[in-house]
Structure formats: C-alpha cells, structure tokens
Amino acid sequence: MGRGKLRIYLGAAPGVGKTYAMLSEGHRRVERGTDCVVAFVEHHGRPRTEVMLHGLEQVPRRALEYRGATFTEMDVDEVLARRPAVALVDELAHTNVPGSRNPKRWQDVAELLAAGIDVVSTVNIQHLESLGDVVEAITGVRQRETVPDEVVRRADQIELVDMSPEALRRRMAHGNVYTSDKVDAALSNYFRPGNLTALRELALLWTADRVDEYLQQYRGEHNIRSTWQARERIVVGLTGGPEGRTLIRRATRLAEKGAGGEVLAVYIARSDGLTGASPKELAVQRTLVEDLGGTFHHVIGDDVPAALLEFARGVNATQIVLGSSRRRSWQYILGPGVGQTVARDSGPDLDVHIVTHGEVAKGRGLPVTRGARLGRSRIIAGWLVGVVGPVALALLLTHVDAHLGLANDMLLFLALTVASALLGGFLPALGSAAVGSLLLNWFFTPPVHRLTIADPANIVAIAVFVGVAMSVASVVDLAARRTHQAARLRAESEVLSYLAGSVLRGETSLDALLERVRETFSMESVALLERADEVEPWTRAASVGPHPAARPEEADVDMPVGDRLALALSGRVLPAEDRRVLGAFAAQAAVVLDRQRLVDEAEEARKLAEGNKIRTSLLAAVSHDLRTPLAGIKASVSSLRSDDVEWSEQDQAELLEGIEAGADRLDHLVGNLLDMSRLQTGTVTPLVRTVDLDEVVPMALGGVPDGSAELDIPETLPMVEVDKGLLERAVANIVENAVKYSPEGVPVAVAASSLGGRVELRVVDRGPGVPDEAKDGIFEPFQRFGDAPRGSGVGLGLAVARGFVEAMGGTLGAEDTPGGGLTMVLTLRAAPGGSPAPTPGLPDHVVT
C-alpha cells in the first residue's frame, strides 16, 4: 500500500473560494467514478458552499465535550474504517478540541495519507508558520492556528485560489462570506484593501517559489542543462576587486525591471587556494548583496569561465553581469579574459552584460606580500646564493682544470638557481639565471672571454639553460608559496576551530580569549575597548598584558567591532593577511562580553527574585507566626491586669509562664530572621578558632526538653576549626528541627565521628522522613515540610544552619535514616594536629 497524495488549495484570505474549489474538485472526481467522501468541511453558513455539499457522501463527525459545550471534529477512525480513495478535509491548520485523536488537523491528514488515502485540503497563506510575524505586522492580528511550512511544501499539488481585493470586498458586501452584522467590521479591519493586497502578494510569491522548486526538480530529473527563462535570475561574477559593488548595484537595477527578479552574486575561487581577492572587500560585497535582497555564493573552480557558466545554468539564470577586464593591453597576448570567454560560451539562452567601471585596464596589481611572507633574511640569502654563488662557481671552475664540459657546467649553475628559488623566491632565481647565463657565455662558451658565441649549438644550449632555469625557479617558487600558504591556512583553521569550539563549549572567560589573542599574534598587550557612543571616551572592558592601549589610536593594531567596540593590540604591526583571523577573534570577544553581561544581569535578576520571594515569605510569616506568640503574650498580660478576676498564685504563675514561653518563641523567631538577613546580605564573618565539639554541642541542646536528645561524642575526636557561636546556633536549629518531627518518647541521636581530615556530626530522628526530591528544598528559606503545624516556626532554622555551616567551610546535607526518619549530616574541617589524647579515668564519650 503506497502513500496517499496531498492536494492543497491555497488562498490569500478567507472567502476567496478555497472550500468551493475543493468541493468542485470532489464533484468532478465523483463524476469520474472515484470513491470520494467529505471527511470534514465547514461551510460557515455560506449558502453557495452549503449547496456544493449536496451529492457528496459525508463521513459522520465525532462529538466532543469541552468546558460544558459540545464540538464536532473529523472522526479519523471512521474515515480510516471507510477507506475512501479520496477524502476532502477543510481547514488544514485547524486546532482540534482537546480529547481528539491528534492536537492538529494536519496531523489527522498525515494519518490518512499514511493509510494510502488521497487528501484534498485547504489553507490560507496567513496560517503558514514561517509567515506568522509578517502577517501580524500587516494585519495586526496574530494567527494562533498555524501549520508547518514543510507540511504544505510536501504536498503533491498546490493550487492558488486567487481573487483581487476589490472582488473579495464586493463578495463580502453582498453577504457571501460573513453575515450582514459582521460585514462592516470585517471590511474596516482585517479586510482593508491594503491588507488584502499584501496578503495576496505573499500568496503569489510563496506559490511562485514552490513552482520554482518543482521546476528545478523536474530539470534535474530530466538532466536539462539549457536555461528556461521562466523568471529573471541574474548572476553577478565577482573577483574580489573594488568594481564588485558597481556590478551588484547594476544587477539589482536589472532585476527590479521585471517582477520577481533575483540576484545571485558568485565568487569563483581556485582550488589551490591562491587568490588575489581581498577578503575584506568580499565581505563588504557580501553584505551589500544581502542588503539588496540577493544571495552570495562561494564556488571552487580552476576554470573560472566554465565554473561561472556551470553555476549560472545550475540555478537557471537568465543573465550574467560581469565587469570589464582590469587587464592591461599587453596582457591580452596571454589569452582572452573571463568576460570574453563567458560571452563566447554562454550560448543563446544566457545574456551576458559587460559593465564598465573605474578600474578598467588598471591592472590587478603585483603580489607585494609574497616576499614579505618569506622573511627578510631568506630573501637576502636567496640573492647571495643567486648572484654571488654563480660568480664563486665560475672562479672555482676556471681555476680547477676539471674539463667537465658545457652540459655539466650548466647543471651546476642550474643547481644554484634552484637553491636561490628555494631561499628567496622567484626574483632571486631570475637574477641567478641571468648572471649564470652571462658567466657561461663569458667563461665556458667559445670564444671565451667574449659575449659572442661561435657555435650555434651553444646558443641553443644557453637559451635552453635560461628557459629551464626560469621554469624550475618558477615551479619551485610556486611550490614554496603554496607550502607557506597551506601552513598558514592550517594555522588559521586551528585558530578558527578553537573559536568555534569555545562557542560550542560555552566558554565565557573574556580574559582567556584575550590572552589567546596575545599568544596567537605575539603581542605585548591586548585590550577590548568600548564606548557608549561616538562622542564618549573609550573605556577598557578587559585587557591582558602590560600597558594596554586606552584608545584605538594608541595601539599598533586595532580591529573595530561595530561602532562601540574595538580590539586594540600593542607590540607590533600585523600583516594584512592576519586581520581576517583577528576579525574573528574580535567578533568572538564581543560575543563573550555580551554573554558575560547577560549572565551578570541574569544573576542580579535572580538575586532580586530571591529577595522578593524572601520578603513575600517574611510578610506571610509576620502575619501569622510572629503574631501568634504576640497574641498569647497580650492575652496573658491583659488577664493579669484585669480587675474583674482575682487570680490565684498558681494561675498567675501559669500566665507568666505563658508570657515567658511566648517571649522565648519570639526571640527565637526574630533571631533566625536576623541571621537569615545577615546571610542574604553576606555580612556573616566567622571568627574561626580551634575548639572541641564537646564544648559546643552540649550547649546547643539547651533549647530542647531534657531526655529528647542523646549525645555521643568520643573524647578522641579531633578538634575542629569553627566559629563557636555560629556552630552552636547551627546545631541548635538542626536538633530543634529533629525533635519537632521525632515521635513522642523517641529521643534524637546526636553522634560525631572523624573521617580523614573531616569531622561529621549526625543528628538522627525517627520521624516521617523526607522524599529524595524534597531534600534540597528543606534548606530553602521559609520552607516547612509536610504537616508541620502553623506557629511552629517560619521555616528558617535549616536555612540558617546551612548558611552558618557553609560560612565556616563545612557542609550540611540530609540522608534517609535506616528504618525510617531523617539524618542531618554536618561535616566540618578538622584542625591540623588537633587530635587530643584520651584523659585517663574518663569514658571515651559523653551521654546526656
């Protein structure tokens, strides 16, 4: 069973006749004997559409209850069971009622297609997901029901149902789209002439693009190489020279003369990587063509004319725009230029425009950077070997009676020419060939010591020597330059790979990135400068190295990043070819700076949110937990001061005891609030000293009833480095929390032990315990777990305890107690050499 085919009627707006066209197609198929059913069509009360449903079988819909109302949706199961050849499904972008088989109707259609059922459907251009923002900008209405563009693109057929804005507005005015009470509002809002015109243009352009895709697919399947001039598509050939901007603007004007014209700028680079193009100029031209609505393409090809024509025919271009050659007149003896070759080979299906510009016949310039890349010392060595070497060789051969013969003499001089090419490049080798030919003529070619040559064969030999020497020197120089460039490109790729990896890894250290810049380019210092606007002074956002530049003008190299950022390097002047990699570093530095600031802003926002949360919780705590003991104190005081009742001594003692208990609770709550405030503001400064746990922990148990806690601290336990007061408060809060949740009559166990350089204090209760997912939450401020009674605290005890412990360099966590309950584990740093010796005659632990 094959997959079904999808046909879509696309409209620019409601009311253009999509559903009517779909139903007409259904009637045509039924008349041809096709099994066609209406799976779902909504006529919206339009009489002409409702009439079209007559004579077509309709699959019963599925009724769904939602929020007290009944809705009907397409019954996918019923359609699959019916298995028609063709199903008509209206409104492809519709969102189904919750409880349906799928959330969206296009997903229902996908199931029908997978079952081998052909589907005919409808959709408006404003429901395409990629056009949501554009449609909202045009109409002011955000479309909530959308369909992915890919679903519509995959349709086997897309038919545009088109109607002019004036005709659609007349149709609406006649009541053929909406009821009369809605017509005026629709015509004055969504269905304004400007809105409809823009939506119609969107629909036409989107459909044209899909038609172009089908055309490209058809040409590829049938291997059609000739150009079909279905629309104007103009290719601009760029060389990386300054004339490129003129060519791009000229091509754009040509494209604007026809509707739907398209501009494609292409740069052909040779596969050997050797090019005279300016990367900076190419970047500017790329930005220009994209700003003008075109596209930029980078193509590799050794034969530039052939590669350009291949690209143009591949994109079904109709015109090619090239600039007049920058060659000088004498250079044409080497062959025709790219423009002439393209014009000759383009054929009748491609028009070639040769555009004049200000750089015509000015030449391409000499590759002045080749020598600089070899280094000054190598160039000097090359000239020495190429000029002095042949002279020394000639003197050696004339004073040594070797009689090697002219051929061997030429090979020796040729070896010096190759050596000079390897060291200094082409020019020293050329000088070596000239000097060598003169010396061969003077010393070794009869008649000697004269520049004339008697034997014609020797003339040929010396000419061959000069030709071979120049050819070998050229090849060796080319190989050396390619090797140098390959090494340079490899180094650049490694640097760019590092930058790409740092982005993927999410590295955000600006100082590390600037240090990498300093190391890569061997600079003394690197600074990232910024300013608020053009009139404000520069400030350093970050810098590495001594004496960084304060302004771009003070640096040896500056790389601007927009109008407000600049990367300033001090130490040496960089060659032009290094600025491309430096530009990548500068762009990455700007991204890292923005990321750091966003992280800082997010952290500030988080702190503000936590502060707001704490303030909200504090207000809730004050409203109840602090007022409860105050109410008890006030009631007791009012009772004692009342003259209407004569209280006995026992009653007075009970009331005073209640006042004291309420005051103690208030003191405890306010103390925790103050401690939490100190922790939040970072004003807790521990006074760390070396103490014994048995000096602190027993004092922390004074706030719990006698017999509610059992203490087990070995005498041999190492001393700890803590703040005695903070540790006492932390342990007191932990024990009080454990006692509160421990069952009646079951004491809490407080035990200490040592492990390596740490000391652990465990507070074990047999209460209800805490689930694993909630263990971290109990240490948050104002958190009370489970069924803790109101008035038993504001939920700050454990938060304050953890804050104090972490301020002293320790940790506080929660574990399950074997057999049920919760164990608080407080880990502290043991004092170095702080293990006390056991005291004779005393037990090794204390139990209370």
Side-chain angles (χ1 to χ4, degrees), residues 462-486:
I462 291 180
V464 170
F465 165 77
V466 174
V468 171
M470 293 179 63
S471 300
V472 170
S474 177
V475 171
V476 171
D477 175 63
L478 180 62
R481 286 190 287 108
R482 288 184 177 179
T483 302
H484 180 275
Q485 187 166 24

Side-chain angles (χ1 to χ4, degrees), residues 326-502:
R326 285 185 285 156
R327 285 183 169 191
R328 300 188 187 275
S329 300
W330 63 268
Q331 291 178 309
Y332 282 98
I333 63 175
L334 302 176
V338 173
Q340 293 183 14
T341 305
V342 171
R344 183 191 64 203
D345 299 339
S346 60
D349 53 350
L350 268 175
D351 297 335
V352 179
H353 300 266
I354 305 296
V355 179
T356 60
H357 51 83
E359 303 296 322
V360 174
K362 290 186 178 180
R364 296 179 177 272
L366 293 175
V368 296
T369 60
R370 291 181 181 176
R373 286 189 296 223
L374 292 175
R376 185 180 183 88
S377 60
R378 285 190 58 180
I379 295 174
I380 294 175
W383 280 108
L384 288 175
V385 172
V387 177
V388 179
V391 175
L393 179 61
L395 293 175
L396 177 64
L397 292 177
T398 54
H399 287 82
V400 176
D401 190 13
H403 301 293
L404 299 177
L406 183 60
N408 291 327
D409 294 337
M410 287 183 176
L411 289 177
L412 291 174
F413 280 95
L414 183 62
L416 290 175
T417 301
V418 173
S420 63
L422 287 172
L423 288 173
F426 181 72
L427 291 180
L430 187 62
S432 177
V435 173
S437 63
L438 291 174
L439 292 174
L440 283 170
N441 186 6
W442 184 266
F443 288 105
F444 305 102
T445 305
V448 296
H449 302 148
R450 295 180 63 182
L451 293 178
T452 58
I453 302 175
D455 189 353
N458 291 338
I459 298 176
V460 175
I462 291 180
V464 170
F465 165 77
V466 174
V468 171
M470 293 179 63
S471 300
V472 170
S474 177
V475 171
V476 171
D477 175 63
L478 180 62
R481 286 190 287 108
R482 288 184 177 179
T483 302
H484 180 275
Q485 187 166 24
R488 178 175 187 81
L489 291 176
R490 183 180 63 184
E492 287 186 5
S493 66
E494 291 176 356
V495 172
L496 295 177
S497 175
Y498 163 79
L499 287 177
S502 66

Side-chain angles (χ1 to χ4, degrees), residues 506-796:
E507 296 178 358
T508 57
S509 175
L510 185 56
D511 290 340
L513 181 63
L514 296 184
E515 183 64 31
R516 181 62 183 251
V517 174
R518 192 168 74 95
E519 294 176 356
T520 300
F521 298 104
S522 300
M523 291 292 178
E524 293 180 0
S525 63
V526 179
L528 182 62
L529 307 177
E530 66 174 340
R531 60 181 177 180
D533 52 54
E534 294 183 356
V535 299
E536 293 293 328
W538 291 95
T539 59
R540 292 194 194 98
S543 63
V544 294
H547 311 297
R551 296 183 304 165
E553 296 81 6
E554 299 174 359
D556 294 311
V557 181
D558 70 281
M559 175 60 67
V561 188
D563 296 331
R564 300 183 179 182
L565 286 175
L567 195 62
L569 289 75
S570 301
R572 66 186 182 93
V573 178
L574 285 182
E577 56 266 28
D578 284 342
R579 294 185 66 88
R580 178 175 56 181
V581 178
L582 182 60
F585 269 113
Q588 178 68 4
V591 171
V592 171
L593 179 62
D594 289 341
R595 184 184 300 161
Q596 282 186 352
R597 288 179 174 170
L598 289 174
V599 170
D600 293 340
E601 291 174 4
E603 181 64 20
E604 289 296 327
R606 185 189 65 80
K607 290 180 179 179
L608 289 174
E610 289 183 354
N612 290 333
K613 180 181 177 182
I614 290 175
R615 281 192 290 271
T616 302
S617 302
L618 178 59
L619 290 175
V622 170
S623 65
H624 186 281
D625 296 298
L626 293 180
R627 290 181 63 187
T628 299
L630 281 176
I633 293 173
K634 179 174 175 50
S636 298
V637 171
S638 299
S639 299
L640 289 173
R641 295 188 59 182
S642 174
D643 297 333
D644 300 334
V645 180
E646 184 175 350
W647 302 99
S648 64
E649 291 183 0
Q650 181 179 357
D651 292 336
Q652 291 178 3
E654 290 179 356
L655 289 173
L656 290 173
E657 184 179 354
I659 293 173
E660 184 179 13
D664 289 341
R665 284 175 57 189
L666 272 179
D667 180 67
H668 181 73
L669 293 174
V670 172
N672 276 337
L673 287 172
L674 292 176
D675 290 339
M676 196 68 234
S677 176
R678 291 166 59 202
L679 289 169
Q680 291 291 331
T681 56
T683 57
V684 176
T685 305
L687 300 176
V688 177
R689 290 180 174 82
T690 302
V691 299
D692 283 329
L693 277 184
D694 57 4
E695 297 177 8
V696 180
V697 178
M699 298 175 62
L701 304 185
V704 297
D706 292 340
S708 60
E710 291 184 351
L711 186 60
D712 184 1
I713 299 180
E715 288 289 337
T716 57
L717 198 68
M719 302 178 75
V720 292
E721 293 183 335
V722 295
D723 183 306
K724 186 176 180 180
L726 295 183
L727 179 60
E728 181 181 341
R729 292 294 303 275
V731 175
N733 284 352
I734 297 170
V735 173
E736 289 174 9
N737 183 78
V739 170
K740 179 172 60 179
Y741 286 99
S742 188
E744 193 74 30
V746 179
V748 171
V750 182
S753 61
S754 63
L755 180 63
R758 314 291 290 180
V759 174
E760 284 188 351
L761 182 69
R762 292 177 170 265
V763 180
V764 183
D765 68 60
R766 295 293 178 177
V770 176
D772 291 339
E773 61 273 11
K775 283 186 171 63
D776 288 334
I778 62 177
F779 295 102
E780 296 293 328
F782 303 104
Q783 298 295 317
R784 290 184 294 189
F785 180 73
D787 56 353
R790 299 289 293 182
S792 61
V794 294
L796 285 175

Side-chain angles (χ1 to χ4, degrees), residues 75-130:
D75 195 332
V76 180
D77 294 327
E78 188 69 25
V79 177
L80 291 174
R82 171 66 175 75
R83 294 197 59 79
V86 179
L88 307 182
V89 183
D90 202 11
E91 299 177 354
L92 185 64
H94 173 74
T95 300
N96 294 328
V97 174
S100 302
R101 183 187 183 100
N102 294 300
K104 305 287 288 187
R105 184 163 293 162
W106 62 264
Q107 295 172 321
D108 297 338
V109 169
E111 289 196 33
L112 300 182
L113 295 173
I117 301 174
D118 293 345
V119 176
V120 182
S121 187
T122 65
V123 70
N124 281 327
I125 191 68
Q126 64 262 33
H127 293 300
L128 295 183
E129 201 166 71
S130 67

